[in-house]
Amino acid sequence: MSEPAEAHAVLGQLAPMDVAGRAPRLQERLDGAEVDALLLTDLTNIRYITGFTGSAARLLVTASGLTFVTDGRYGEQAAAQLRDAGVAAVIEVSNAEQKDVLVKAVESAGARRVGLEAESVTWAAQRAYDESWFPDAELVPTTGLVAGLRAVKDQGEIDRITAASRVADTALAQVRARLDDRPTEAEFGLELDTAMRRLGADDVSFETIVASGPNGALPHHRAGPRTIAAGDLVVIDFGALVDGYHADMTRTVAVGAPSSTQERMLAVVGEAQAAGVAAVRAGVDAKAVDAACREVIGAAGWLDAFLHSTGHGVGLDIHEDPRLAQTSEAVLAPGHVVTVEPGVYLPEHGGVRIEDTVVVTDEGCVTITLAPKVTTVAA
């Protein structure tokens, strides 16, 4: 992609997403969760199920249908987006009586057990639902009902993550040479973010990390006023957002010839990352991918310098299920989109992290972040 807004232009060429098929799959999960109704309040989960992109909504899911509630700002938008997605729902627009709408819907469905999203409902909200909204129903904390569906991407979702990755790849290629001019971390981050937006990204996926020299030993360093200098390793962790879907990648750039230790760091992390990617396959335990990376770094004597887990799912959120970590219970499946991002962090020498986003297949995986993993710019 080389022209502004090309990411938006390519959206018409991407596979459609099966938004309409998601609510029925969620409804099938209600019995297993032992609930008669599920109240969704997490806006990302509501977007996943309905296609709605506004900032205010609740969605009640029962075996017999959906009740969507929003306020007056979003009535027309909700109707249009749910219609375009092929989602059938009762849409109620109310600025003051949303409680009454949902209480009536629960009563009409005869729901005795109402599920709440345990990971997104505050204690205060739970008390309100229990004491004044649904006092005659039993409230049930639920986890993973929508997240389990979101973990496996359809082709339309994969296409959007891939499009976001192409934006990020191209943006880095456009601005990487600016490191020769010794910008500050913040200046380089701003130029990278601007390049992604010019290429059509709706936004950046998260605050871009540019960590140079000793700052590179801080995995989530915030780009600051430090001027990038000869001898630095520069860790660049960034992504683009396209049509709601995130890209995520990390590349490490050496400014001038790396020292012998830095060179070994680059080699070891590169080998660990390749081992992790090679371990990705449907049916594999997620923790086995983490173990593949740790084995290489441990053999180099730097296991204590690998300060985080190996990866995570990517989609509508930058961090989703499944997690690739030592404690993960997940098993990889076709359609999972995950990162593989081992790193080594040594305060005296800097940091190295290499991250790809990959799509899990029965045969292995497809890498969708294509920028060169390690590059050098002139000193």
Side-chain angles (χ1 to χ4, degrees):
M1 296 183 181
S2 58
E3 296 297 325
E6 191 165 346
H8 295 302
V10 81
L11 287 177
Q13 305 168 26
L14 305 180
M17 296 185 290
D18 181 25
V19 179
R22 295 168 181 170
R25 293 197 295 274
L26 178 58
Q27 289 167 313
E28 291 171 359
R29 298 165 71 96
L30 298 183
D31 282 346
E34 299 183 336
V35 297
D36 306 310
L38 175 65
L39 180 62
L40 297 184
T41 50
D42 180 289
L43 286 170
T44 306
N45 285 342
I46 292 172
R47 175 176 184 160
Y48 178 78
I49 295 297
T50 67
F52 175 71
T53 62
S55 64
R58 290 184 175 94
L59 180 70
L60 185 75
V61 182
T62 68
S64 59
L66 308 179
T67 301
F68 180 99
V69 181
T70 189
D71 63 41
R73 295 172 297 169
Y74 293 115
E76 292 186 11
Q77 176 181 329
Q81 289 184 320
L82 270 66
R83 181 186 64 244
D84 291 347
V87 175
V90 174
I91 299 175
E92 298 282 356
V93 179
S94 174
N95 291 326
E97 305 300 330
Q98 294 187 12
K99 170 184 169 182
D100 293 343
V101 169
L102 290 168
V103 168
K104 185 176 181 179
V106 166
E107 292 174 349
S108 297
R112 304 300 303 167
R113 290 170 59 86
V114 177
L116 301 180
E117 296 181 283
E119 295 178 345
S120 63
V121 174
T122 66
W123 175 249
Q126 187 275 338
R127 287 176 63 86
Y129 290 138
D130 186 34
E131 294 173 2
S132 63
W133 287 55
F134 313 117
D136 298 326
E138 180 183 355
L139 299 185
V140 180
T142 68
T143 59
L145 290 181
V146 180
L149 298 176
R150 284 173 53 186
V152 176
K153 273 65 179 177
D154 64 30
Q155 190 58 53
E157 293 178 286
I158 292 169
D159 282 3
R160 282 156 180 80
I161 299 169
T162 302
S165 298
R166 293 292 77 73
V167 169
D169 286 334
T170 305
L172 181 60
Q174 288 182 352
V175 304
R176 185 171 47 227
R178 272 282 289 127
L179 293 171
D180 286 336
D181 301 329
R182 304 299 180 266
T184 66
E185 295 169 342
E187 288 169 342
F188 184 80
L190 177 61
E191 293 195 28
L192 180 55
D193 292 352
T194 301
M196 287 190 282
R197 291 175 182 275
R198 283 177 174 161
L199 289 162
D202 299 316
D203 200 349
V204 297
S205 285
F206 50 89
E207 185 177 357
T208 295
I209 295 170
V210 181
S212 64
N215 293 337
L218 306 172
H220 274 192
H221 170 73
R222 298 184 68 177
R226 184 182 185 277
T227 298
I228 294 167
D232 283 350
L233 296 175
V234 184
V235 178
I236 307 167
D237 190 345
F238 67 109
L241 182 70
V242 172
D243 199 26
Y245 284 83
H246 294 270
D248 191 5
M249 95 172 103
T250 307
R251 295 299 187 252
T252 300
V253 178
V255 180
S259 69
S260 59
T261 298
Q262 290 173 332
E263 196 168 76
R264 183 166 174 255
M265 292 167 68
L266 292 164
V268 168
V269 174
E271 182 183 350
Q273 204 265 345
V277 171
V280 172
R281 183 183 305 272
V284 168
D285 290 340
K287 63 185 177 183
V289 180
D290 183 272
C293 294
R294 289 186 191 281
E295 182 177 357
V296 174
I297 292 174
W302 285 331
L303 191 56
D304 289 345
F306 184 3
L307 304 177
H308 49 78
S309 59
T310 288
H312 55 85
V314 178
L316 286 169
D317 284 326
I318 192 62
H319 291 102
E320 296 190 351
D321 290 339
R323 293 173 58 247
L324 277 60
Q326 292 172 293
T327 57
S328 178
E329 306 259 336
V331 177
L332 297 181
H336 281 165
V337 179
V338 299
T339 67
V340 181
E341 50 179 305
V344 167
Y345 308 92
L346 303 175
E348 303 85 354
H349 304 281
V352 174
R353 181 163 67 255
I354 300 171
E355 174 187 20
D356 280 323
T357 298
V358 303
V359 182
V360 180
T361 69
D362 288 320
E363 296 75 29
C365 66
V366 176
T367 300
I368 59 176
T369 41
L370 304 179
K373 291 179 173 58
V374 176
T375 53
T376 302
V377 296

